[in-house]
Amino acid sequence: MPRLCLLAFWYSLFTALALPSPASAASKPLPKLDVPGVREEQVMLPMRDGVKLSAYLYFPETPAQEKLPALFEQRYAEITGLGTRKAAATLAAKGFVVAMVNYRGTHESEGTWVGYRATQWGQQRDGWDVCEWLAAQPWCTGKVGTFGSSQGGYVQNYLAVTQPPHLVAQYMVDTGLSLFHEGYRLGGATRPERYKAMGKVARNYADHEALLKTWDRHPDYDGYWKSEDCKPYFAKMNVPCFTIGSWYDFMIQGSIMSFQGRQKLGGPQSRDNQWLLLGPWLHGRLNKGSKVGELIYPENATWPELEHMTRWFNHWLKGEANGIDKEPKVRWYVMGATGEDSAPGNVWSEAADWPPKLKDTRFFLNADGVLSTRRTGAKGSRTSYASDPRKPMNIPGTSFPGAKDARSFEQQAEVRTWTTEPLAVPMEWTGEVKAELYISSTAADTDFIVRVSDVYPDGRSILLMDYPMRARYRDGFDKQRLLTPTNAEALATRNDPRSDEIAKLNMHVGWTSIIFNKGHRIRVTIASTGAPLYEPNNQTGGRQTLDWMKDTQSAINTIWHDAQRSSCVRVPLRVVGK
């Protein structure tokens, strides 16, 4: 069917279905929403295949017959919590109809829970259908915007690829592009325990069990995962977008790549119509304040997200000339030490593009735990430790513990650290941090977790970033290459291992902008386990599936740092004052 005819068909269908369907029988009385001048209503939105999604709509008081633009967020998380409802109603009070919509198969939404796939560009295009349903309502101007963070950011990228005709602008916070790289997998590592817990959102847990088994059948970045990756489809993204990323968030790479791809490769309404903001925050939405983890930044670190988002949509959906489109394309917060009045940093910087060009500099991992821009390793210099998936080192929780003291992890038995001498002058890192590791293992496969910390003069090791890498994916996530295991006894006596026993890992560690103050030290920490945050590699070289601990193997892992194998981190460096 030609595109124009198809659009006309869907528009007429949604117009015919303009009156909302009654809420499902699963609806339950909710606590009173105390936001003056805003009315709340649950509706069941019709999708193209007859499935209906649960949505809560928030209408501000307006003169009779006045039409308003619509905003919506899609998420699998609960939308009936009082905080979520109040946030939506507060946004509606700014002069929008706001819809909070649950993914199909979750909570009160009908259909089969299939993760994000129904929101994408396959036969089911739930995001497209929600957008066009809202645009067709008699109270809507026909202009629609989207907002949301994390899951609500991913889904906006998916929506943009489908090009709904009434989508005008988007506002993403801590977003992503590829669920293999930034979600169900991370650095190639599987995350079965974390995603078992996602089943609590499904109306039918059997749907989630089926989804987990499907993921098991696709351990590599194959066609299944590529069909959930937005990066090949930037040219189809064709709307202005404001994107926020957070330094203390592993998903910041998704926020940055979203901006870069849309800005340079997007459609004509996308190119040069993208804005990027990067600040010293944790993952999430409406949490961009000055208190972060165990740190308190100056008040200038606070970002007025609701107010700015309102100005954004007032401009793009209402035509308000408020100057928001004249703001710098890229702004980032250059972090500095907190609690030190003379510390450089803790200021905003701006540019037309990202990242800025700083000097690519190597900090080498040397013997005796020394981190330096000079390499000092003698022949055979190396650092070894044990890795046992049944006795993992501990990183508590399921969220990245950024902006907190990391010594409790660094002091564990099978964790190794490399630390600089106290800095004689401040040093700025702004951009992407990478690692080049020369490694060997007595196992056929293992993981490496690399962390970077700012060590304060009082000894606190404030965690800036970390990232895992599964060794079998060192040549690309679409193929596996197992290690050649070393013999532990031979390794103890040899200074020069066979070349086939050494593997080089080139890995992403994180993005940052920070000035390490004079007197501070910089620390790199490496381990192979850190549970429950990172679920251990079973180290057998076999497939790691839902029964991933059925078979395991302990190992001795080695980081090499001699002249021929100079393990290091690569950073974008500027020495402050020079």
Side-chain angles (χ1 to χ4, degrees):
M1 182 181 294
R3 177 177 172 81
L4 290 178
C5 294
L6 180 63
L7 294 179
F9 167 75
W10 279 110
Y11 190 84
S12 62
L13 173 62
F14 287 135
T15 301
L17 295 170
L19 293 176
S21 303
S24 72
S27 299
K28 55 186 180 297
L30 298 176
K32 182 180 179 181
L33 183 65
D34 188 19
V35 178
V38 177
R39 174 173 58 88
E40 178 183 50
E41 180 180 347
Q42 187 191 13
V43 300
M44 298 298 289
L45 305 186
M47 300 296 99
R48 62 187 63 198
D49 60 356
V51 166
K52 295 177 181 177
L53 305 187
S54 175
Y56 283 79
L57 271 56
Y58 299 87
F59 297 87
E61 291 181 353
T62 58
Q65 307 304 316
E66 180 180 354
K67 294 186 176 185
L68 296 173
L71 303 176
F72 75 97
E73 178 183 5
Q74 291 176 276
R75 58 199 290 188
Y76 56 73
E78 179 65 73
I79 59 176
T80 58
L82 187 57
T84 298
R85 294 163 59 223
K86 281 189 174 181
T90 301
L91 180 57
K94 307 293 185 181
F96 305 95
V97 176
V98 176
M100 302 295 295
V101 186
N102 267 145
Y103 290 11
R104 69 168 57 210
T106 69
H107 305 288
E108 298 175 75
S109 289
E110 299 173 354
T112 301
W113 161 242
V114 290
Y116 290 79
R117 297 183 81 83
T119 69
Q120 298 163 354
W121 45 85
Q123 291 184 340
Q124 299 163 334
R125 299 191 175 195
D126 289 353
W128 196 101
D129 291 354
V130 170
C131 182
E132 295 308 291
W133 185 92
L134 292 170
Q137 301 312 299
W139 39 257
C140 186
T141 61
K143 293 186 176 182
V144 181
T146 60
F147 65 97
S149 69
S150 190
Q151 58 191 277
Y154 267 111
V155 77
Q156 291 187 74
N157 274 322
Y158 296 140
L159 176 66
V161 174
T162 67
Q163 297 185 324
H166 293 91
L167 178 65
V168 176
Q170 298 182 304
Y171 200 101
M172 296 192 297
V173 181
D174 297 337
T175 190
L177 292 162
S178 168
L179 288 164
F180 181 94
H181 297 96
E182 306 154 44
Y184 307 137
R185 305 286 189 268
L186 192 62
T190 49
R191 310 174 80 191
E193 295 301 318
R194 179 179 177 86
Y195 284 94
K196 284 177 186 176
M198 273 185 63
K200 65 185 179 181
V201 307
R203 290 181 62 158
N204 181 2
Y205 189 77
D207 293 345
H208 189 63
E209 289 180 319
L211 190 59
L212 291 175
K213 291 177 181 177
T214 299
W215 296 344
D216 268 1
R217 293 194 294 271
H218 298 277
D220 307 327
Y221 180 61
D222 58 11
Y224 176 88
W225 293 112
K226 290 177 182 177
S227 70
E228 291 198 353
D229 189 346
C230 294
K231 292 191 292 294
Y233 302 103
F234 282 127
K236 291 181 176 292
M237 299 184 186
N238 196 32
V239 293
C241 185
F242 192 92
T243 301
I244 296 176
S246 303
W247 293 134
Y248 298 108
D249 176 24
F250 77 90
M251 279 180 60
I252 191 171
Q253 62 174 330
S255 298
I256 289 171
M257 284 191 288
S258 289
F259 165 79
Q260 292 172 329
R262 287 174 177 238
Q263 181 78 337
K264 298 175 182 178
L265 304 174
Q269 301 303 314
S270 174
R271 290 192 302 274
D272 204 37
N273 262 336
Q274 304 298 308
W275 283 260
L276 178 66
L277 183 85
L278 303 169
W281 310 301
L282 295 166
H283 184 80
R285 181 166 62 90
L286 301 177
N287 67 340
K288 309 310 182 190
S290 58
K291 174 69 169 68
V292 185
E294 297 171 0
L295 304 180
I296 299 178
Y297 285 96
E299 280 302 314
N300 70 341
T302 299
W303 180 253
E305 187 177 334
L306 178 61
E307 293 78 3
H308 187 266
M309 184 164 61
T310 300
R311 288 181 56 225
W312 174 262
F313 286 124
N314 279 345
H315 172 75
W316 293 105
L317 273 62
K318 298 180 181 179
E320 185 177 289
N322 54 23
I324 203 165
D325 58 324
K326 308 301 181 186
E327 293 178 352
K329 285 293 192 291
V330 182
R331 282 170 286 183
W332 70 93
Y333 195 83
V334 184
M335 298 181 289
T338 62
E340 299 177 9
D341 292 340
S342 61
N346 293 327
V347 295
W348 287 97
S349 189
E350 60 187 52
D353 202 0
W354 178 266
K357 296 184 182 302
L358 275 67
K359 184 180 180 181
D360 181 24
T361 305
R362 286 175 168 82
F363 280 72
F364 295 100
L365 313 182
N366 291 312
D368 301 321
V370 174
L371 182 68
S372 174
T373 54
R374 294 178 292 113
R375 66 183 96 192
T376 61
K379 184 176 180 180
S381 180
R382 61 189 184 269
T383 298
S384 298
Y385 56 86
S387 174
D388 186 344
R390 292 193 179 274
K391 299 176 182 178
M393 301 301 98
N394 176 247
I395 304 177
T398 58
S399 299
F400 171 60
K404 293 182 179 179
D405 191 347
R407 284 179 292 181
S408 62
F409 179 69
E410 295 165 359
Q411 294 166 359
Q412 294 177 42
E414 307 305 336
V415 179
R416 300 293 180 263
T417 62
W418 288 262
T419 309
T420 66
E421 295 296 323
L423 300 180
V425 293
M427 286 187 178
E428 178 184 348
W429 293 10
T430 294
E432 185 178 13
V433 178
K434 303 176 183 178
E436 295 178 355
L437 302 182
Y438 291 87
I439 62 95
S440 62
S441 177
T442 59
D445 189 36
T446 189
D447 294 346
F448 291 88
I449 303 167
V450 179
R451 309 180 118 200
V452 176
S453 297
D454 178 6
V455 182
Y456 278 62
D458 62 9
R460 287 175 298 146
S461 181
I462 300 300
L463 183 62
L464 300 174
M465 65 187 74
D466 77 352
Y467 214 77
M469 179 70 193
R470 182 145 294 179
R472 69 173 67 185
Y473 291 116
R474 62 192 181 278
D475 292 338
F477 294 112
D478 59 343
K479 53 186 171 293
Q480 299 185 25
R481 182 184 173 196
L482 296 179
L483 300 171
T484 300
T486 59
N487 179 280
E489 293 181 1
L491 180 64
T493 59
R494 287 195 334 234
N495 282 335
D496 193 15
R498 300 197 316 266
S499 60
D500 63 337
E501 296 176 341
I502 303 292
K504 183 180 180 182
L505 306 185
N506 292 299
M507 59 181 290
H508 164 86
V509 180
W511 290 88
T512 194
S513 181
I514 185 171
I515 298 177
F516 297 94
N517 199 13
K518 177 182 177 180
H520 285 226
R521 294 179 294 159
I522 302 169
R523 176 170 293 161
V524 171
T525 300
I526 298 179
S528 289
T529 56
L533 180 63
Y534 298 115
E535 293 153 37
N537 189 327
N538 61 29
Q539 300 187 152
T540 64
R543 297 180 69 173
Q544 186 143 330
T545 54
L546 289 172
D547 58 352
W548 58 286
M549 289 292 285
K550 181 179 179 181
D551 298 305
T552 65
Q553 178 181 330
S554 61
I556 300 296
N557 293 341
T558 300
I559 309 293
W560 294 84
H561 39 66
D562 57 15
Q564 292 76 36
R565 295 167 285 258
S566 300
S567 295
C568 65
V569 291
R570 297 181 60 174
V571 307
L573 175 70
R574 179 175 72 91
V575 177
V576 177
K578 288 190 176 182

